[in-house]
Coordinates of all heavy atoms in Angstrom, one line a residue:
M1 N -35.7 55.1 61.7 CA -34.8 54.2 60.8 C -35.4 54.4 59.3 O -36.5 54.1 59.1 CB -34.9 52.8 61.2 CG -34.1 51.9 60.3 SD -34.0 50.2 60.9 CE -35.5 50.0 61.8
K2 N -34.6 54.8 58.4 CA -35.0 55.0 57.1 C -35.0 53.7 56.4 O -34.2 52.8 56.7 CB -34.0 56.0 56.3 CG -34.1 57.4 56.9 CD -33.2 58.3 56.1 CE -33.2 59.7 56.7 NZ -32.3 60.6 56.1
N3 N -35.8 53.5 55.4 CA -35.9 52.3 54.6 C -36.3 52.5 53.2 O -36.8 51.7 52.5 CB -36.9 51.4 55.3 CG -36.8 49.9 54.8 OD1 -35.7 49.5 54.4 ND2 -37.9 49.2 54.7
E4 N -35.9 53.7 52.6 CA -36.4 54.1 51.4 C -35.9 53.1 50.3 O -36.7 52.7 49.4 CB -36.0 55.5 51.0 CG -34.5 55.8 51.0 CD -34.0 56.6 52.2 OE1 -34.8 56.8 53.2 OE2 -32.9 57.0 52.2
S5 N -34.7 52.7 50.2 CA -34.2 51.8 49.2 C -33.6 50.5 49.8 O -33.3 49.6 49.1 CB -33.2 52.5 48.3 OG -32.1 52.9 49.0
A6 N -33.4 50.5 51.1 CA -32.8 49.4 51.8 C -31.4 49.0 51.2 O -31.2 47.9 50.9 CB -33.7 48.2 51.9
K7 N -30.6 50.0 50.9 CA -29.3 49.8 50.4 C -28.3 49.9 51.5 O -28.4 50.8 52.3 CB -29.0 50.8 49.2 CG -29.5 50.4 47.9 CD -29.0 51.3 46.8 CE -29.6 50.9 45.4 NZ -29.1 51.8 44.4
C8 N -27.3 49.1 51.5 CA -26.2 49.2 52.4 C -25.4 50.5 52.3 O -24.9 50.8 51.1 CB -25.3 48.0 52.3 SG -23.8 48.1 53.4
P9 N -25.2 51.3 53.3 CA -24.5 52.6 53.1 C -23.0 52.4 52.9 O -22.3 53.3 52.5 CB -24.8 53.3 54.4 CG -25.1 52.3 55.4 CD -25.8 51.2 54.7
E10 N -22.5 51.2 53.2 CA -21.1 50.9 53.1 C -20.8 50.4 51.7 O -19.9 50.9 51.0 CB -20.7 49.8 54.1 CG -19.3 49.4 54.1 CD -18.3 50.4 54.6 OE1 -18.8 51.3 55.3 OE2 -17.1 50.3 54.4
C11 N -21.5 49.4 51.2 CA -21.2 48.8 49.9 C -22.2 48.9 48.8 O -22.0 48.6 47.7 CB -20.8 47.3 50.1 SG -22.3 46.3 50.4
G12 N -23.4 49.4 49.2 CA -24.5 49.7 48.3 C -25.3 48.5 47.9 O -26.2 48.6 47.1
A13 N -25.0 47.3 48.4 CA -25.7 46.1 48.2 C -27.2 46.2 48.7 O -27.4 46.8 49.7 CB -25.0 44.9 48.7
E14 N -28.1 45.5 48.0 CA -29.5 45.5 48.5 C -29.7 44.2 49.2 O -30.6 43.4 48.8 CB -30.5 45.8 47.3 CG -30.3 47.1 46.8 CD -31.3 47.4 45.7 OE1 -32.2 46.5 45.4 OE2 -31.2 48.5 45.0
S15 N -28.9 43.9 50.2 CA -29.0 42.6 50.9 C -29.0 42.8 52.4 O -28.3 42.2 53.1 CB -27.9 41.6 50.5 OG -26.7 42.3 50.2
L16 N -29.9 43.8 52.8 CA -30.0 44.0 54.3 C -31.0 43.1 54.9 O -32.0 42.8 54.3 CB -30.3 45.5 54.5 CG -29.4 46.5 53.9 CD1 -29.9 47.9 54.2 CD2 -28.0 46.4 54.4
H17 N -30.7 42.7 56.1 CA -31.6 41.9 56.9 C -31.7 42.5 58.3 O -30.7 43.0 58.8 CB -31.1 40.5 57.0 CG -31.0 39.8 55.7 ND1 -31.9 39.0 55.1 CD2 -30.0 39.9 54.7 CE1 -31.5 38.6 53.9 NE2 -30.4 39.1 53.7
R18 N -32.9 42.4 58.9 CA -33.1 43.0 60.2 C -33.8 42.0 61.2 O -34.5 41.2 60.7 CB -33.8 44.3 60.1 CG -35.3 44.2 59.9 CD -35.9 45.6 60.0 NE -37.3 45.5 59.8 CZ -38.2 46.5 59.7 NH1 -37.7 47.7 59.8 NH2 -39.4 46.3 59.6
T19 N -33.5 42.3 62.4 CA -34.2 41.5 63.5 C -34.3 42.4 64.7 O -33.7 43.5 64.7 CB -33.5 40.2 63.8 OG1 -34.3 39.4 64.7 CG2 -32.1 40.5 64.6
T20 N -35.0 42.0 65.7 CA -35.2 42.8 66.9 C -34.7 41.9 68.1 O -34.9 40.7 68.1 CB -36.6 43.2 67.2 OG1 -37.1 44.0 66.1 CG2 -36.7 44.0 68.5
T21 N -33.9 42.5 69.0 CA -33.3 41.7 70.1 C -33.3 42.6 71.3 O -33.4 43.8 71.3 CB -31.9 41.2 69.7 OG1 -31.5 40.3 70.7 CG2 -30.9 42.4 69.6
N22 N -33.1 42.0 72.5 CA -32.9 42.7 73.7 C -31.5 43.3 73.7 O -30.5 42.7 73.1 CB -33.0 41.8 74.9 CG -34.4 41.4 75.2 OD1 -35.3 42.2 75.0 ND2 -34.6 40.2 75.8
S23 N -31.3 44.5 74.4 CA -30.1 45.1 74.4 C -29.2 44.6 75.5 O -28.1 45.2 75.8 CB -30.2 46.7 74.5 OG -30.9 47.0 75.7
G24 N -29.7 43.6 76.2 CA -28.9 43.0 77.3 C -29.5 41.7 77.8 O -30.5 41.3 77.2
G25 N -28.8 41.1 78.8 CA -29.4 39.9 79.3 C -28.3 38.8 79.2 O -27.3 39.0 78.6
G26 N -28.5 37.7 80.0 CA -27.5 36.7 80.0 C -26.2 37.2 80.6 O -26.2 37.9 81.6
Y27 N -25.1 36.8 79.9 CA -23.8 37.3 80.4 C -23.2 38.4 79.5 O -22.1 38.7 79.7 CB -22.9 36.1 80.5 CG -23.3 35.1 81.5 CD1 -24.0 33.9 81.1 CD2 -23.1 35.3 82.8 CE1 -24.5 33.0 82.0 CE2 -23.6 34.3 83.8 CZ -24.2 33.2 83.3 OH -24.7 32.3 84.2
G28 N -24.0 38.8 78.6 CA -23.4 39.9 77.7 C -23.5 41.2 78.2 O -24.1 41.5 79.3
P29 N -22.9 42.2 77.6 CA -23.0 43.6 78.0 C -24.4 44.1 77.8 O -25.1 43.7 77.0 CB -22.0 44.3 77.1 CG -22.0 43.5 75.8 CD -22.2 42.0 76.3
V30 N -24.7 45.2 78.6 CA -25.9 45.9 78.4 C -25.6 47.1 77.4 O -24.8 48.0 77.8 CB -26.5 46.4 79.7 CG1 -27.7 47.3 79.5 CG2 -26.8 45.3 80.7
L31 N -26.1 47.0 76.3 CA -25.8 48.0 75.2 C -26.4 49.3 75.4 O -26.0 50.3 74.9 CB -26.0 47.4 73.8 CG -25.2 46.1 73.5 CD1 -25.7 45.6 72.2 CD2 -23.7 46.4 73.6
L32 N -27.6 49.3 76.1 CA -28.3 50.6 76.3 C -28.5 50.8 77.8 O -29.7 50.8 78.2 CB -29.6 50.7 75.5 CG -29.4 50.6 74.0 CD1 -30.8 50.5 73.3 CD2 -28.7 51.9 73.4
P33 N -27.4 51.0 78.6 CA -27.6 51.1 80.0 C -28.4 52.4 80.4 O -28.3 53.4 79.8 CB -26.2 51.2 80.5 CG -25.4 51.7 79.4 CD -26.1 51.1 78.2
G34 N -29.2 52.2 81.4 CA -30.0 53.4 81.9 C -31.3 53.6 81.1 O -32.0 54.5 81.4
L35 N -31.6 52.8 80.1 CA -32.8 53.0 79.3 C -33.7 51.8 79.4 O -34.5 51.6 78.5 CB -32.3 53.2 77.8 CG -31.3 54.3 77.5 CD1 -31.0 54.4 76.0 CD2 -31.8 55.7 78.0
E36 N -33.6 51.1 80.5 CA -34.4 49.9 80.6 C -35.9 50.3 80.7 O -36.2 51.4 81.1 CB -34.0 49.1 81.9 CG -32.7 48.4 81.8 CD -31.5 49.3 82.0 OE1 -31.6 50.5 82.3 OE2 -30.4 48.7 81.9
R37 N -36.7 49.4 80.4 CA -38.2 49.6 80.4 C -38.7 49.2 81.8 O -38.1 48.4 82.5 CB -38.9 48.7 79.4 CG -38.3 49.0 78.0 CD -39.1 48.2 77.0 NE -38.8 46.7 77.1 CZ -39.4 45.8 76.3 NH1 -40.3 46.2 75.5 NH2 -39.1 44.5 76.5
P38 N -39.8 49.9 82.3 CA -40.3 49.6 83.6 C -40.9 48.2 83.6 O -41.4 47.7 82.5 CB -41.4 50.7 83.8 CG -41.7 51.1 82.4 CD -40.5 51.0 81.6
I39 N -40.9 47.5 84.7 CA -41.5 46.2 84.8 C -43.0 46.3 84.6 O -43.7 47.2 85.2 CB -41.2 45.6 86.2 CG1 -39.7 45.4 86.3 CG2 -42.0 44.3 86.4 CD1 -39.3 44.9 87.7
S40 N -43.6 45.5 83.7 CA -45.0 45.5 83.4 C -45.4 44.2 82.8 O -44.5 43.3 82.6 CB -45.4 46.6 82.5 OG -44.8 46.3 81.2
W41 N -46.6 44.0 82.5 CA -47.0 42.8 81.8 C -46.3 42.7 80.4 O -46.0 41.6 80.0 CB -48.5 42.7 81.6 CG -49.2 42.3 82.9 CD1 -50.1 43.1 83.6 CD2 -49.2 41.0 83.6 NE1 -50.5 42.4 84.7 CE2 -49.9 41.2 84.7 CE3 -48.5 39.9 83.3 CZ2 -50.1 40.2 85.6 CZ3 -48.6 38.8 84.3 CH2 -49.4 39.0 85.4
G42 N -46.1 43.8 79.8 CA -45.5 43.8 78.5 C -44.1 43.4 78.5 O -43.5 42.9 77.5
T43 N -43.4 43.5 79.7 CA -42.0 43.2 79.8 C -41.8 41.8 80.5 O -40.7 41.4 80.7 CB -41.2 44.2 80.5 OG1 -41.7 44.4 81.8 CG2 -41.2 45.6 79.7
F44 N -42.9 41.2 80.9 CA -42.8 40.0 81.6 C -42.0 38.9 81.0 O -41.2 38.2 81.5 CB -44.2 39.4 81.9 CG -44.3 38.3 82.9 CD1 -44.1 38.5 84.3 CD2 -44.4 37.0 82.4 CE1 -44.1 37.4 85.1 CE2 -44.4 35.9 83.3 CZ -44.2 36.1 84.7
F45 N -42.2 38.7 79.6 CA -41.5 37.7 78.9 C -40.3 38.2 78.2 O -39.3 37.5 78.1 CB -42.5 37.0 77.9 CG -43.5 36.2 78.5 CD1 -44.9 36.6 78.5 CD2 -43.3 35.0 79.1 CE1 -45.8 35.9 79.1 CE2 -44.2 34.2 79.7 CZ -45.5 34.7 79.8
S46 N -40.3 39.4 77.7 CA -39.2 39.9 76.9 C -38.2 40.6 77.8 O -37.0 40.8 77.3 CB -39.7 40.9 75.9 OG -40.4 42.0 76.5
G47 N -38.5 40.8 79.1 CA -37.5 41.5 79.9 C -37.6 43.0 79.8 O -38.3 43.5 79.0
T48 N -36.8 43.6 80.7 CA -36.9 45.1 80.8 C -35.8 45.8 80.0 O -35.8 47.0 79.9 CB -36.8 45.6 82.2 OG1 -35.6 45.1 82.8 CG2 -38.0 45.1 83.0
F49 N -34.9 45.0 79.4 CA -33.9 45.7 78.5 C -34.5 46.4 77.4 O -35.4 45.9 76.7 CB -32.8 44.7 78.1 CG -32.0 44.2 79.2 CD1 -32.1 42.9 79.6 CD2 -31.0 45.0 79.8 CE1 -31.3 42.3 80.7 CE2 -30.2 44.5 80.9 CZ -30.4 43.2 81.3
A50 N -34.0 47.5 77.0 CA -34.4 48.3 75.8 C -34.2 47.4 74.6 O -33.3 46.6 74.6 CB -33.7 49.6 75.7
Q51 N -35.1 47.5 73.7 CA -35.1 46.7 72.4 C -34.2 47.4 71.4 O -34.2 48.6 71.2 CB -36.5 46.5 71.9 CG -37.4 45.8 72.8 CD -37.0 44.4 73.0 OE1 -37.1 43.5 72.1 NE2 -36.5 44.0 74.2
L52 N -33.5 46.5 70.7 CA -32.7 47.0 69.5 C -33.1 46.4 68.2 O -33.4 45.1 68.2 CB -31.2 46.6 69.8 CG -30.4 47.5 70.7 CD1 -29.0 46.8 70.9 CD2 -30.2 48.9 70.2
T53 N -33.3 47.1 67.2 CA -33.4 46.6 65.9 C -32.0 46.5 65.3 O -31.2 47.5 65.3 CB -34.3 47.4 65.0 OG1 -35.6 47.4 65.5 CG2 -34.3 46.9 63.5
V54 N -31.6 45.3 64.8 CA -30.2 45.1 64.3 C -30.4 44.9 62.8 O -31.2 44.1 62.3 CB -29.6 43.9 64.9 CG1 -28.1 43.7 64.4 CG2 -29.6 43.9 66.4
V55 N -29.6 45.7 62.0 CA -29.6 45.6 60.5 C -28.2 45.1 60.1 O -27.2 45.8 60.5 CB -29.9 46.9 59.9 CG1 -29.9 46.8 58.3 CG2 -31.4 47.4 60.3
V56 N -28.2 44.0 59.4 CA -26.9 43.5 58.9 C -26.9 43.4 57.4 O -27.9 43.0 56.8 CB -26.6 42.1 59.5 CG1 -25.3 41.5 59.0 CG2 -26.6 42.1 61.0
C57 N -25.8 43.8 56.8 CA -25.6 43.6 55.3 C -25.1 42.3 55.1 O -23.9 41.9 55.5 CB -24.7 44.7 54.8 SG -24.4 44.5 53.0
A58 N -25.8 41.4 54.3 CA -25.3 40.1 54.0 C -24.0 40.1 53.1 O -23.3 39.1 53.0 CB -26.4 39.2 53.4
E59 N -23.8 41.2 52.4 CA -22.7 41.3 51.5 C -21.4 41.7 52.2 O -20.4 41.0 52.0 CB -23.1 42.4 50.4 CG -22.1 42.4 49.2 CD -22.1 41.1 48.4 OE1 -23.2 40.5 48.4 OE2 -21.1 40.8 47.8
C60 N -21.4 42.8 52.9 CA -20.1 43.2 53.5 C -20.1 43.0 55.1 O -19.1 43.2 55.7 CB -19.8 44.7 53.2 SG -20.9 45.9 54.1
G61 N -21.2 42.8 55.7 CA -21.3 42.5 57.1 C -21.5 43.7 58.0 O -21.5 43.6 59.2
L62 N -21.6 44.9 57.4 CA -21.8 46.1 58.1 C -23.0 45.9 59.0 O -24.1 45.4 58.6 CB -22.1 47.3 57.3 CG -22.5 48.6 58.0 CD1 -21.3 49.1 58.8 CD2 -23.0 49.7 57.0
T63 N -22.9 46.2 60.3 CA -24.0 45.9 61.3 C -24.4 47.2 62.0 O -23.5 47.9 62.5 CB -23.5 44.9 62.4 OG1 -23.1 43.7 61.7 CG2 -24.6 44.6 63.3
R64 N -25.6 47.5 62.0 CA -26.1 48.8 62.6 C -27.2 48.4 63.6 O -27.9 47.5 63.5 CB -26.7 49.7 61.6 CG -25.7 50.3 60.6 CD -26.4 51.1 59.5 NE -27.1 50.3 58.5 CZ -28.0 50.7 57.8 NH1 -28.4 51.9 57.8 NH2 -28.6 49.9 56.9
F65 N -27.2 49.2 64.7 CA -28.2 49.0 65.8 C -29.0 50.3 65.9 O -28.5 51.4 65.9 CB -27.4 48.8 67.1 CG -26.6 47.6 67.2 CD1 -25.2 47.7 66.9 CD2 -27.1 46.4 67.5 CE1 -24.4 46.6 67.0 CE2 -26.3 45.3 67.6 CZ -25.0 45.3 67.3
Y66 N -30.3 50.1 66.1 CA -31.3 51.1 66.3 C -32.0 50.9 67.6 O -32.7 49.9 67.7 CB -32.3 51.2 65.1 CG -31.6 51.5 63.8 CD1 -31.1 50.5 63.0 CD2 -31.6 52.9 63.4 CE1 -30.5 50.8 61.8 CE2 -30.9 53.1 62.1 CZ -30.4 52.1 61.3 OH -29.8 52.4 60.1
A67 N -31.9 51.9 68.5 CA -32.6 51.8 69.8 C -34.1 52.1 69.5 O -34.5 52.9 68.6 CB -32.1 52.9 70.7
D68 N -35.0 51.4 70.3 CA -36.4 51.6 70.1 C -36.8 53.0 70.6 O -36.1 53.7 71.3 CB -37.2 50.5 70.8 CG -37.0 50.5 72.3 OD1 -36.7 51.5 72.9 OD2 -37.3 49.4 72.9
A69 N -38.1 53.3 70.2 CA -38.6 54.7 70.5 C -38.6 55.0 72.0 O -38.3 56.1 72.4 CB -39.9 54.9 69.8
E70 N -39.0 54.0 72.7 CA -39.1 54.2 74.2 C -37.7 54.5 74.8 O -37.6 55.4 75.7 CB -39.7 52.9 74.8 CG -40.0 53.1 76.3 CD -40.7 51.8 76.8 OE1 -41.1 50.9 76.0 OE2 -40.7 51.6 78.1
A71 N -36.7 53.8 74.4 CA -35.4 54.1 74.8 C -34.9 55.5 74.4 O -34.3 56.2 75.1 CB -34.4 53.0 74.4
R72 N -35.2 55.8 73.1 CA -34.7 57.1 72.6 C -35.3 58.2 73.4 O -34.7 59.3 73.6 CB -35.0 57.2 71.1 CG -34.3 56.1 70.3 CD -34.3 56.5 68.8 NE -35.6 56.9 68.2 CZ -36.5 56.1 67.7 NH1 -36.2 54.8 67.6 NH2 -37.6 56.6 67.2
A73 N -36.6 58.1 73.8 CA -37.3 59.1 74.5 C -36.7 59.4 75.9 O -36.8 60.5 76.4 CB -38.8 58.8 74.7
K74 N -35.9 58.4 76.4 CA -35.4 58.6 77.7 C -34.0 59.2 77.7 O -33.5 59.7 78.7 CB -35.2 57.2 78.4 CG -36.5 56.6 78.8 CD -36.3 55.2 79.4 CE -37.6 54.5 79.7 NZ -37.4 53.1 80.1
L75 N -33.4 59.3 76.5 CA -32.0 59.8 76.4 C -31.7 61.1 77.0 O -30.8 61.3 77.7 CB -31.6 59.7 74.9 CG -31.1 58.4 74.4 CD1 -30.9 58.4 73.0 CD2 -29.9 57.9 75.2
P76 N -32.6 62.1 76.8 CA -32.2 63.5 77.3 C -32.1 63.5 78.8 O -31.3 64.3 79.4 CB -33.5 64.4 76.9 CG -33.9 63.6 75.6 CD -33.8 62.2 75.9
Q77 N -32.8 62.7 79.6 CA -32.7 62.7 81.0 C -31.9 61.5 81.6 O -31.8 61.4 82.8 CB -34.1 62.6 81.6 CG -34.9 64.0 81.6 CD -35.5 64.3 80.3 OE1 -36.0 63.3 79.6 NE2 -35.5 65.5 79.8
A78 N -31.5 60.6 80.8 CA -30.8 59.4 81.3 C -29.4 59.7 81.8 O -28.7 60.4 81.2 CB -30.7 58.3 80.2
T79 N -29.1 59.0 82.9 CA -27.8 59.1 83.5 C -26.7 58.4 82.6 O -27.0 57.3 82.1 CB -27.7 58.5 84.9 OG1 -28.7 59.1 85.7 CG2 -26.4 58.6 85.6
G80 N -25.6 59.1 82.4 CA -24.5 58.5 81.7 C -24.5 58.6 80.2 O -23.6 58.2 79.4
W81 N -25.6 59.3 79.6 CA -25.6 59.6 78.2 C -25.4 61.0 78.0 O -26.3 61.9 78.3 CB -27.0 59.1 77.6 CG -27.2 57.6 77.7 CD1 -27.7 56.9 78.6 CD2 -26.8 56.7 76.6 NE1 -27.6 55.6 78.3 CE2 -27.1 55.4 77.1 CE3 -26.1 56.8 75.4 CZ2 -26.8 54.3 76.3 CZ3 -25.9 55.7 74.6 CH2 -26.2 54.4 75.1
L82 N -24.3 61.4 77.4 CA -23.9 62.8 77.2 C -24.2 63.2 75.7 O -23.7 62.5 74.8 CB -22.5 63.0 77.5 CG -22.0 62.6 78.9 CD1 -20.5 62.7 79.1 CD2 -22.8 63.3 80.0
P83 N -24.8 64.4 75.6 CA -25.0 64.8 74.2 C -23.6 65.2 73.6 O -22.7 65.7 74.3 CB -25.9 66.1 74.4 CG -26.0 66.3 75.8 CD -25.4 65.2 76.6
I84 N -23.4 64.8 72.3 CA -22.1 65.2 71.6 C -22.4 66.0 70.4 O -23.5 66.0 69.9 CB -21.3 63.9 71.3 CG1 -22.2 62.9 70.4 CG2 -20.9 63.3 72.6 CD1 -21.3 61.7 70.0
Ligands
LIG1 ZN1 -22.8 46.1 52.7

C-alpha cells in the first residue's frame, strides 16, 4: 500500500483515514474467502479471517480495501481466485 502523499485518487483530498478489520465474521460476508489464517495463539482473539486494511476518504467517501501480506501470499494457490 503506497502512502507517499496520502491523497485520495478520486478527489485529491488529503483526508484519508485507515483502520484494520477482519475480512469476515458475524453475519456479514467473507470478503477474502479461502485466505483464512491457520488457527494459532495469534488468531485466538482476532479470529482466523484474513485481515483487511480499510482506507476511506473523508471528503468523497471512496473506500479501498487492502488484503494483508499473509492473505496475498496465498492467492496463487488459493481455490476460487483466478488471475485476470
Ligand atoms: Zn476522496
Side-chain angles (χ1 to χ4, degrees):
M1 177 173 35
K2 294 180 182 176
N3 194 29
E4 59 256 10
S5 62
K7 279 187 179 177
C8 174
E10 179 75 15
C11 73
E14 295 183 6
S15 36
L16 300 179
H17 300 264
R18 74 175 184 184
T19 189
T20 302
T21 188
N22 285 330
S23 62
Y27 297 99
V30 177
L31 298 177
L32 295 173
L35 304 180
E36 288 81 0
R37 302 184 291 173
I39 294 172
S40 70
W41 284 113
T43 59
F44 186 77
F45 292 106
S46 61
T48 57
F49 291 107
Q51 298 293 291
L52 282 173
T53 295
V54 186
V55 178
V56 179
C57 173
E59 191 66 28
C60 74
L62 177 69
T63 303
R64 292 175 288 160
F65 298 95
Y66 295 87
D68 67 19
E70 190 177 341
R72 298 197 313 267
K74 291 178 183 171
L75 280 170
Q77 282 80 38
T79 301
W81 291 91
L82 305 175
I84 58 175

